[in-house]
């Protein structure tokens, strides 16, 4: 749910940004161009003149759309305007991509069309949108060329339909302004839709303030830290570069830069850093549901008796597992974990002293856990490390959460 809401917000932000960029880009061209696409005399001009005119026109429009979408992207991930970065990474390449795509589209339209084929014109808008989306894919981390081209192409077709509608129902300038805004809007929207529908792994970043953001995982690392030059997501009061996430050979890899520890994560696994919680999503590995959880040990005592029985228990959902020295927990007990060895063992209770109440839970799975004590302090329990058992401690085993009672 958090991912869907965050993706919707992201899509609207990209769409509105693209609309503003298309509107402003076309607005800039109006005073300097006497003949523009969509006017009656435009298609009467010579072939090369029309191609060059459209290349110049859509170059400025494309530059505006690309700059505005990059502005929306930076505002989405950083929460504040980044005008200089948007111009640097969107302006020039958008201008070039827009000019090339506009020239190709006009060349096709004027070369094989008769000037009145609106279906061909829509197809040409799709070509222009796909090339612009391809250019944006080189600037937005892990968007991917295919998703960029597909999203931009569909957005160009949808926006092109509206462009034609506005051109027939509004005056020349007003129609072009509204049409270019529509093209930018739908390109921005469809880039996010394509990214969301076809990505294999992602991160949902939940801030303590309640805000959420979603980023796609891929071969390019998604970095977290306090230094804006080193980190995609800036987190105050942590190391300049604290954590790095990446998709490698189909596996989600998390590197704790401070400690050098590397974890392999699955869908539902979480990491806590600074003022945000990072939840991993993976479309190839859905999270298990309570219906497929099979316990190994079931306690006959109610949980309230655990505080006076002189023994620790691990409560996972409605199950209560007694913990004593030597107790072994397998993947059947905690389905969200994967054993490091072939025996299926993911955790073992060890005695840290002769006092039976001083017990530890040793992580023998292939991934880290997160433990939060009753004071709210959070600790990472790496594989082969041991967590001292204490009443009230909550342990996140990936997408499942347990409590020591």
């Amino acid at each position: 749910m958090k991912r869907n809401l965050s993706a919707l917000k992201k899509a609207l932000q990209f769409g509105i940004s693209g609309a503003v960029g298309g509107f402003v880009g076309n607005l800039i061209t109006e005073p300097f161009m006497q003949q523009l696409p969509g006017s009656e005399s435009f298609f009467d001009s010579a072939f090369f003149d029309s191609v060059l005119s459209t290349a110049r026109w859509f170059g400025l429009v494309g530059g505006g759309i690309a700059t505005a979408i990059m502005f929306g992207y930076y505002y989405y991930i950083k929460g504040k305007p980044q005008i200089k970065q948007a111009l640097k990474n969107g302006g020039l390449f958008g201008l070039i991509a827009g000019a090339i795509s506009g020239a190709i589209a006009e060349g096709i339209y004027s070369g094989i069309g008769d000037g009145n084929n609106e279906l061909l014109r829509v197809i040409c808008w799709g070509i222009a949108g796909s090339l612009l989306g391809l250019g944006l894919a080189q600037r937005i981390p892990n968007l991917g060329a295919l998703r960029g081209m597909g999203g931009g192409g569909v957005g160009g077709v949808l926006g092109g339909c509206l462009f034609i509608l506005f051109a027939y129902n509004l005056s020349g300038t007003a129609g072009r302004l509204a049409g270019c805004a529509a093209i930018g809007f739908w390109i921005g929207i469809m880039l996010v839709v394509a990214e969301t529908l076809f990505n294999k792994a992602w991160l949902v970043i939940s801030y303590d303030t309640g805000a959420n953001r979603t980023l796609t995982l891929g071969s390019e690392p998604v970095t977290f830290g306090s230094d804006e030059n080193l980190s995609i997501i800036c987190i105050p009061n942590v190391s300049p570069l604290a954590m790095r996430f990446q998709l490698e050979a189909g596996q989600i890899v998390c590197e704790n830069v401070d400690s050098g520890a590397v974890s392999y994560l699955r869908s539902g696994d979480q990491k806590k850093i600074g003022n945000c919680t990072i939840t991993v999503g993976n479309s190839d590995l859905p999270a298990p549901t309570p219906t497929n959880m099979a316990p190994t040990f079931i306690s006959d005592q109610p949980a309230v008796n655990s505080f006076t029985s002189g023994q620790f228990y691990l409560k996972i959902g409605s199950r209560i597992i007694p913990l004593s020295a030597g107790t072994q927990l397998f993947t059947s007990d905690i389905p969200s974990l994967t054993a490091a060895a072939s025996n299926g063992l993911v955790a073992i209770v060890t005695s840290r002293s002769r006092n039976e109440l001083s017990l530890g839970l040793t992580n023998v799975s292939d991934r880290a856990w997160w433990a939060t004590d009753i004071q709210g302090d959070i600790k990472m329990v790496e594989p082969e490390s041991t967590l001292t058992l204490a009443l009230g401690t909550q342990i996140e085993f990936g997408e499942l959460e347990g409590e020591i009672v």
Side-chain angles (χ1 to χ4, degrees):
M1 179 62 70
K2 285 183 179 180
R3 181 204 179 201
N4 293 335
L5 291 175
S6 182
L8 177 60
K9 176 183 176 182
K10 185 177 182 180
L12 289 175
Q13 197 158 318
F14 276 41
I16 293 172
S17 297
V20 172
F23 183 92
V24 172
N26 187 82
L27 186 64
I28 293 174
T29 67
E30 288 294 327
F32 305 103
M33 298 182 67
Q34 295 179 348
Q35 292 184 331
L36 291 170
S39 64
E40 294 181 357
S41 60
F42 176 81
F43 294 107
D44 295 331
S45 62
F47 174 78
F48 289 107
D49 288 341
S50 66
V51 169
L52 290 175
S53 179
T54 302
R56 181 175 56 192
W57 170 61
F58 199 69
L60 290 172
V61 173
I65 292 174
T67 300
I69 288 178
M70 290 305 302
F71 177 88
Y73 167 75
Y74 288 124
Y75 190 83
Y76 176 79
I77 64 172
K78 297 184 181 296
K80 58 182 179 180
Q82 300 278 310
I83 299 176
K84 183 178 180 181
Q85 285 294 101
L87 285 170
K88 177 182 177 182
N89 292 313
L92 180 60
F93 98 84
L95 181 67
I96 295 173
I100 293 174
S101 62
I104 292 174
E106 179 60 29
I108 293 173
Y109 185 79
S110 298
I112 65 176
D114 58 3
N116 296 304
N117 191 330
E118 301 300 353
L119 176 60
L120 181 59
R121 184 186 295 189
V122 168
I123 293 174
C124 290
W125 279 122
I127 294 172
S130 66
L131 293 178
L132 194 59
L134 177 62
L136 284 166
Q138 310 305 313
R139 296 296 189 273
I140 299 177
N142 298 316
L143 173 59
L146 290 178
R147 289 192 292 265
M149 289 184 66
V154 174
V157 167
L158 294 175
C161 291
L162 290 176
F163 185 98
I164 295 171
L165 179 65
F166 292 142
Y168 276 110
N169 291 279
L170 299 174
S171 64
T173 298
R176 288 188 293 272
L177 288 171
C180 288
I183 290 171
F185 177 81
W186 281 110
I187 288 177
I189 288 281
M190 294 311 300
L191 284 176
V192 179
V193 170
E195 178 188 49
T196 304
L197 288 179
F198 299 106
N199 62 357
K200 292 186 176 181
W202 58 88
L203 301 176
V204 177
I205 306 162
S206 303
Y207 292 86
D208 293 345
T209 59
N212 295 292
R213 294 186 176 93
T214 302
L215 291 180
T216 295
L217 276 179
S219 58
E220 186 172 343
V222 177
T223 52
F224 294 77
S226 58
D227 190 332
E228 291 189 358
N229 296 319
L230 299 175
S231 305
I232 292 177
I233 300 295
C234 294
I235 309 294
N237 304 319
V238 299
S239 301
L241 179 59
M243 201 169 287
R244 182 186 291 115
F245 292 82
Q246 193 170 3
L247 188 64
E248 295 181 351
Q251 297 191 71
I252 302 171
V253 182
C254 172
E255 178 186 358
N256 187 320
V257 180
D258 291 331
S259 65
V262 176
S263 304
Y264 293 88
L265 308 178
R266 293 196 304 170
S267 183
D269 285 353
Q270 293 184 330
K271 297 290 186 181
K272 177 73 175 179
I273 176 172
N275 63 348
C276 71
T277 300
I278 305 162
T279 304
V280 173
N282 185 348
S283 60
D284 294 333
L285 185 61
T289 60
T291 58
N292 57 26
M293 299 179 185
T296 300
F297 303 96
I298 301 294
S299 173
D300 294 329
Q301 305 180 53
V304 67
N305 292 337
S306 303
F307 293 96
T308 58
S309 64
Q311 183 179 3
F312 290 109
Y313 294 82
L314 175 63
K315 182 180 180 183
I316 302 180
S318 60
R319 301 178 303 131
I320 300 175
I321 304 174
L323 302 179
S324 57
T327 298
Q328 296 180 342
L329 303 179
F330 295 86
T331 53
S332 57
D333 301 300
I334 312 176
S336 58
L337 296 180
T338 301
S342 60
N343 58 6
L345 188 65
V346 294
I348 186 170
V349 180
T350 56
S351 179
R352 302 178 71 88
S353 69
R354 293 184 178 180
N355 181 359
E356 187 66 17
L357 291 179
S358 182
L359 299 175
L361 189 63
T362 301
N363 181 359
V364 292
S365 69
D366 67 345
R367 69 196 61 237
W369 312 334
W370 288 93
T372 306
D373 61 23
I374 57 176
Q375 283 80 33
D377 294 329
I378 299 175
K379 176 184 179 182
M380 179 186 289
V381 185
E382 295 284 354
E384 300 184 2
S385 62
T386 300
L387 172 69
T388 300
L389 297 183
L391 294 176
T393 299
Q394 295 182 340
I395 310 173
E396 294 181 7
F397 304 108
E399 61 268 24
L400 296 182
E401 184 173 305
E403 182 180 1
I404 303 301
V405 297

